[in-house]
Structure formats: structure tokens, C-alpha cells
Amino acid sequence: MTPDLVGDLESPDYASHDRAAHGPYTPVFTGDVKRELDELLTHYPTKMAALLPALWIVQRVHGWVSEEGMAEVAGLLELTPAYVKGVVTFYTMYHQHPVGKYFIQVCTTSPCGICGAEDVVKALVRDTNTGELGLTSPDGRFTVIEVECLGACGFATPVMVNEEFIESMTPDKVPELLARLP
Amino acid sequence: MGYPHHPNPRETTVLSKHFGEADARTLDGWKKRGGYKALEKALGMQPAEIVNIVKESGLRGRGGAGFPTGMKWSFMKPGDGKPHYLCCNADESEPGTFKDRELMRWTPHALVEGCAIGAYAIGAETAYVYIRGEFTEPLHWMEQAVKEAYAAGIIGKNAMGSGKRIDVHVHKGAGAYICGEETALMESLEGRRGNPRIKPPFPAVSGVFGMPTTINNVETLIAAAPILMNGADWYKKMSLSNPKSTGTKLFSVCGNVQRPGTYEVVMGFPFKEFLYDLCGGPLHGRKFKAVIPGGASVPIQTMDEAEGTLMDYEGFVAGGSMLGSGGVIVIDDAQPMVTVIARLARFFAHESCGQCTQCREGTAWTTKILERIRDGEGTVEDLDTLLDIGEQMTGKTICVLSDSCAVPVISGIKKFRGEFEALIQGRRFHPVTAAVA
């Protein structure tokens, strides 16, 4: 969103992600998935309004939103790829690069910050072997990032592992969490 | 901390009555609890009658601004030949606030019903519930509830056999605090970057897809059903202090407190008793130092201010802050205020959409200075610079995100100046009492 004016405020370094390892792009919107999009389009008076949901579908299928994915969505919704990229880059939840099998987000905004969120982050970075925030572990299993307010402040510290929302995480519970991930 | 808690006898559970009852999430369970009776009643009334009852009840927006709901609904002119839209703002992202999350995960049908009533009252056939992308569990329950309601004919092209079409669609956000700002929410819903729009035109004139639109918070819409069932007078009587603040309000409590969670009290409840009695007071061996009572965007209160406050729109203003979204962040004496405030500023810098210079530059600049002070590298001039930037960030931008960043900074420096100065003068922060793990 805002350009990087405050040091490490913004995008982590994704240099370690190997895009080539993910192979050639396969279209997302065929068969049932195309029908899912067609149904979505009935919810809105414009095609453009289905953009965010369509991007979610791309991420669900491929794990991230590549330029090819953006182009496919652009074609279906009669938008330009550049426009779609402009939207993708605005929102923090679309991955513009491949991420680990388990994408772990830890809330560290003030209400969680005063309840020890930093220690949860440290434990996660250490135990996942990712080395630093935003990087993926060498085995490709984990990516850990800090995230702004997850909206569960009474359950500090909330952590998201992919779609799973976990409340009241503490450093002690980190090994147990990681151990149960297949 | 376990959840949901048993309601304290001093709570008044109208909206939170069924929190923790898994069965209430299903259509059958919700109907057993009197669900959809209010919608049935509403569909037998004229839309204008509903608007009048809500106006009469004194219900005000629960998302932060506190605008009278009935009046907002009355801005939607019937018979203008245009499609009308209702947007439910479920993009709850204000740090400290998690009441809508609880409402949606425990009582999703209450929101479907509230949306249907609201849509009917403003002459809309379509309601969108814009839920932030991180709320995977509330999203799941809302999608489930909408599906069940369609299958039962409660919503759809002939809602409850009324001949009226009411569609409710759940729309998933993708990670942007700013989309909780109503015009940014509409932009996002249209498939754009979430940049707030200049007002006027106001949403009631030109909202989502350029059509007349009303945007209401989750809690506001859910409150409409009990108001219709029990009458405006019943709601109006729930007011302990100022007659301009009526009904019950959900407060979500977090931070350094014994019992964080969501509490529902009648407007005007004494804040001191709320913090010490309902929420259980400070953690063992610590003392409360400050409270941010309405989400990160409202002024920080000292304990003196907080303990004399009555919990309603006017009461919080009199106590040096605002009711905001009802997200109560409690900060104790083991927390350095500069760290807390610097982290809030970083939040706003991260979430600025970048359209307006004052906000884009101001939030980042403020963060840099605060973090410098936090790290013991601040100078005496820094405090004046922060106050100056704060002033330049207030009232000069398209939306209030910029102002929201300045608020905790300005109020923090004003009320806790000593802590800033101590760090600048090279003294480390020492908690007043020993920190308890």
C-alpha cells in the first residue's frame, strides 16, 4: 500500500522463492470453477465487482496470484492485466509470490503487542526455521509474517495458519502447533 | 481466557444473549430462539413505518461515528426509479475491536435477518455483507446462514412469501483496514483499490455502483430486529445517562486485563465498574495506566478520566475520548506508552491508502520519529515536530485515517509526556510494578 518509507514496514524479501519451480501456468476457470465464477457474476451489476472473489479463487487453486493468473481474470472480467495488478497490489492478502505450504500470520498490533505477541513471532520464526519474517523455510513448509490487527484482540495472540484462525497463541504452544501440521 | 464467558449479572444481553450456543448458528436453532419473527413482521409493514420506529428508538451507528440510524435510512428516497443497495460493514479492523466477529460467528442468522430488514426499509433488493478476508470463521458461518436462508425461502426472489425480492450476498475482503471506511468499502466492492472517495456525493445519493446506498455496521443492523419486536420505547428506556444514547452496546475488551472478551451493557454504564467489576480489574500485581476506549482511533484516556466516564456517546466525549467502535484497549503500568503509541502509528502507516499527502507522508514520518524516541535516540525537538505533524494531519484529507493516526499521538504526548521526555533524556522505561509473566 504505502511505499516503503519506514524501513522494514513493507514487503518482506521474497527473493528466496523459486517461481520457476512452480511449473507452467494452468488456467483456473474451467469446468466447475468457471461455473462458480458465473454464479458469482449474478451477485453484482458489473463484471468488475467479481474481481476480488475471482482473485481469491485463483489463490485457492494455485496458492498465489501470478501475472498469468491476473491476466486470466482480466480476460474473463473484461479488464486489463495492468488494472488487475493495480488491485492485487493494494490488498495484503493476495500472495504475489509463492509462499510456504503453511502461511503463518501473527498479529502484532498494539493490543496484541502489549500481551506478548513479539515473543510468539520469535518462537515461530525460530521453530519453523524460516530465519526471518517473510522468508520461506528451506523445506518449503513455512512462511511467517507479522500482520496488522486480526480483529481478535481479546484472544491475544491470534495466529492464522492458512485459513485456520487460532486464538490465544503463546510461545509455549508453538511447538505443539507446528507438530500437528501434516 | 475462555470464551464465551458467563454474562455478568450486570450485563444486559440483547444481542449477545446466544453467544456460545452452537445450536443458535443453525436456521432451526435460530428460529427456536425467535429468529426471523422480526423480518416477518417487517415485511408486513410499510418501509417508512420501520424507518420511523428505528428513528424513534434512538439507535445510532455502532461502527464508530454514531450517526442516527433511522435518519440515515430516511435519506434513501423511495420511488426514485434507481436500484438501492444496502452494504453491511463487517470489515471490522479497528485495533481493539472484535465484537462483530463474535456476532457473526455465534449469531450469523441475526445478521442475515438484520440485513433483510434494513434492505426492505430502504427499498433495496440487494444487501452485501463485506467481511474482512482474515475473518475465516465468521465468513464460514455467514455463508452457511445465507445458504440456509435462501433454501428456506426467507431471502431470495420472494422473501418469506411477501412477494419482495431480498438478496443477501457475502463479499470477502482481501486485507485492507481502509476498506472499513464506507466509501473505500464501496470502491472495494466494485472491484477497485480501496481508496476512499471525496464526499459529497454521500452514499445515499451516489454509493456503490453509483446508486443510492446505505452502509451500516453489523451491530447496528442486528439491533433492528429486537427494536421492531419490542418497540422503540423499550429500546429508548435502556439508557442510564444521556437520552441521546439508547439501547445496549457491545464492548470488546482486550489488553492487560483479567477477563478480556465481549460485554454488553446498557448505554451510560459506569466505566470504572465495567473495568474493575465486569472485566476483573488489572492483572495480578499490576495497575491500570491508560485506556483507549473506542478502538485505536480515539484519544487515550488516563485512568482518572476513564474512571469518571459513563459509557455512552456523550460520556466518553466528556471523559476526554470517544465511544468509537467500543474496542476497549486496557494498558497497564508494565507497558511503555511510547512503544504502544509507536506501534499504533506503524499500524496506520501500513494501512494508509496513500492517496493524500498528509496521510501518506505523515503516518510514516510520525512512525519514524516515535520509533526513534522509543529506541532512545529522540531529541527534545521531536515532540514539537510530532505535534506539528499531527496538526497537519488533522482535518485535511479525504478520509479520517490520517486524523486517526494523529489522535493517539497527540493525546499520548499530552497525557503521558513524562514517559516521552524520560526516553529522550536517556532514561529507560521502568515499569512501576514488577511485570508478571
Side-chain angles (χ1 to χ4, degrees):
Chain A
M1 299 163 90
T2 312
D4 186 5
L5 297 168
V6 196
D8 59 356
L9 187 68
E10 273 297 320
S11 313
D13 176 12
Y14 286 101
S16 71
H17 298 300
D18 182 3
R19 285 157 162 255
H22 288 258
Y25 184 78
T26 45
V28 170
F29 296 97
T30 56
D32 283 349
V33 182
K34 177 68 172 63
R35 279 187 284 282
E36 186 184 347
L37 179 68
D38 290 340
E39 200 277 325
L40 270 171
L41 285 166
T42 66
H43 296 187
Y44 311 99
T46 65
K47 282 192 166 181
M48 193 202 272
L51 179 53
L52 264 60
L55 291 168
W56 274 120
I57 294 173
V58 172
Q59 182 151 308
R60 187 183 76 205
V61 174
H62 283 309
W64 62 298
V65 183
S66 62
E67 303 234 340
E68 294 93 330
M70 295 179 210
E72 187 186 0
V73 170
L76 288 163
L77 302 183
E78 295 165 19
L79 304 165
T80 65
Y83 176 83
V84 173
K85 188 166 190 177
V87 171
V88 169
T89 52
F90 185 87
Y91 298 94
T92 55
M93 292 184 77
Y94 296 125
H95 306 316
Q96 296 165 59
H97 305 266
V99 294
K101 182 176 174 195
Y102 299 106
F103 186 74
I104 304 177
Q105 309 184 66
V106 191
C107 177
T108 58
T109 310
S110 297
C112 290
I114 60 175
C115 294
E118 290 298 331
D119 296 332
V120 176
V121 172
K122 277 182 205 151
L124 276 165
V125 169
R126 184 191 62 217
D127 293 353
T128 54
N129 203 20
T130 51
E132 63 180 277
L133 287 171
L135 296 187
T136 298
S137 58
D139 59 7
R141 280 170 61 79
F142 303 108
T143 308
V144 182
I145 67 157
E146 281 185 25
V147 66
E148 295 297 345
C149 194
L150 282 178
C153 323
F155 311 94
T157 297
V159 170
M160 282 187 81
V161 180
N162 297 341
E163 292 283 291
E164 188 187 350
F165 202 103
I166 301 156
E167 296 169 352
S168 310
M169 184 50 65
T170 58
D172 313 350
K173 289 195 244 169
V174 165
E176 188 192 323
L177 165 71
L178 298 180
R180 80 167 162 82
L181 297 174
Chain B
M1 197 55 53
Y3 193 83
H5 61 265
H6 290 289
N8 186 294
R10 300 189 64 192
E11 283 187 68
T12 307
T13 53
V14 176
L15 310 186
S16 61
K17 197 171 169 185
H18 302 298
F19 282 10
E21 300 169 18
D23 183 45
R25 292 164 159 169
T26 64
L27 178 60
D28 286 347
W30 188 242
K31 278 185 155 173
K32 259 185 243 156
R33 290 165 177 79
Y36 292 111
K37 287 228 171 72
L39 176 60
E40 200 177 357
K41 186 175 178 184
L43 291 169
M45 295 164 73
Q46 288 302 314
E49 285 177 72
I50 302 171
V51 174
N52 279 335
I53 291 175
V54 172
K55 238 185 209 173
E56 187 59 25
S57 75
L59 175 65
R60 291 166 68 178
R62 301 299 197 226
F67 193 83
T69 306
M71 196 189 291
K72 198 186 238 187
W73 287 4
S74 72
F75 294 154
M76 301 289 282
K77 295 289 166 236
D80 56 6
K82 294 176 185 170
H84 289 187
Y85 291 102
L86 175 73
C87 291
C88 170
N89 189 342
D91 192 57
E92 184 173 56
S93 318
E94 183 71 29
T97 316
F98 50 97
K99 64 186 178 69
D100 297 340
R101 173 175 185 260
E102 302 311 318
L103 285 168
M104 290 188 284
R105 69 201 281 232
W106 293 113
T107 58
H109 280 285
L111 183 54
V112 175
E113 184 170 13
C115 285
I117 294 170
Y120 177 68
I122 61 162
E125 290 190 341
T126 310
Y128 295 107
V129 184
Y130 187 105
I131 306 183
R132 63 179 299 188
E134 293 89 344
F135 275 0
T136 47
E137 195 198 339
L139 263 159
H140 166 79
W141 292 115
M142 280 306 296
E143 278 170 355
Q144 187 87 2
V146 165
K147 216 166 150 187
E148 281 183 315
Y150 266 113
I154 289 168
I155 51 174
K157 58 183 171 218
N158 182 15
M160 296 189 107
S162 64
K164 297 281 173 196
R165 179 176 198 114
I166 301 175
D167 283 315
V168 178
H169 299 301
V170 174
H171 190 93
K172 181 182 180 183
Y177 165 76
I178 192 60
C179 291
E181 197 279 341
E182 59 178 14
T183 60
L185 185 150
M186 297 187 303
E187 288 282 298
S188 179
L189 188 54
E190 290 179 9
R192 302 172 199 274
R193 293 165 70 90
N195 291 338
R197 299 174 182 169
I198 292 173
K199 292 188 275 191
F202 289 94
V205 175
S206 176
V208 74
F209 308 116
M211 295 300 160
T213 303
T214 294
I215 303 200
N216 288 130
N217 173 258
V218 171
E219 189 184 345
T220 314
L221 286 170
I222 292 182
I227 290 172
L228 284 192
M229 290 312 286
N230 301 306
D233 279 341
W234 164 80
Y235 200 75
K236 222 161 47 179
K237 276 189 195 130
M238 289 194 284
S239 173
L240 297 172
S241 167
N242 195 306
K244 284 186 198 159
S245 292
T246 61
T248 59
K249 173 84 189 84
L250 291 180
F251 288 91
S252 48
V253 182
C254 65
N256 311 125
V257 59
Q258 289 280 356
R259 287 194 291 274
T262 306
Y263 296 83
E264 185 172 9
V265 292
V266 172
M267 285 284 192
F269 196 89
F271 201 23
K272 184 176 181 181
E273 289 165 40
F274 181 83
L275 290 170
Y276 289 92
D277 183 7
L278 274 61
C279 305
L283 300 176
H284 182 68
R286 295 198 197 161
K287 280 186 191 139
F288 289 154
K289 178 159 74 179
V291 181
I292 308 179
S297 304
V298 307
I300 301 172
Q301 286 186 306
T302 61
M303 286 322 291
D304 276 351
E305 288 173 325
E307 288 175 5
T309 294
L310 296 173
M311 301 171 76
D312 58 21
Y313 293 101
E314 297 73 24
F316 277 111
V317 171
S321 188
M322 279 160 70
L323 178 117
S325 57
V328 180
I329 308 169
V330 187
I331 301 159
D332 72 16
D333 53 2
Q335 312 304 329
M337 286 308 286
V338 180
T339 306
V340 175
I341 296 165
R343 189 62 188 81
L344 283 181
R346 176 167 279 261
F347 168 82
F348 288 111
H350 184 272
E351 300 298 340
S352 170
C353 83
Q355 275 191 111
C356 308
T357 312
Q358 289 89 339
C359 180
R360 184 184 61 245
E361 305 298 325
T363 53
W365 192 5
T366 299
T367 306
K368 265 188 174 174
I369 297 177
L370 282 167
E371 292 184 350
R372 179 161 84 210
I373 298 173
R374 177 197 67 193
D375 297 340
E377 289 158 14
T379 63
V380 200
E381 296 81 41
D382 279 346
L383 293 184
D384 288 338
T385 311
L386 280 173
L387 292 172
D388 184 37
I389 299 169
E391 201 176 305
Q392 298 303 323
M393 286 170 70
T394 305
K396 296 187 171 64
T397 48
I398 293 173
C399 82
V400 295
L401 190 144
S402 181
D403 310 54
S404 298
C405 178
V407 161
V409 178
I410 294 174
S411 61
I413 295 177
K414 220 192 277 174
K415 297 174 187 177
F416 297 92
R417 196 177 180 103
E419 286 196 30
F420 287 80
E421 287 175 347
L423 281 165
I424 290 167
Q425 290 156 10
R427 297 202 299 274
R428 273 189 55 227
F429 172 79
H430 293 290
V432 180
T433 50
V436 179

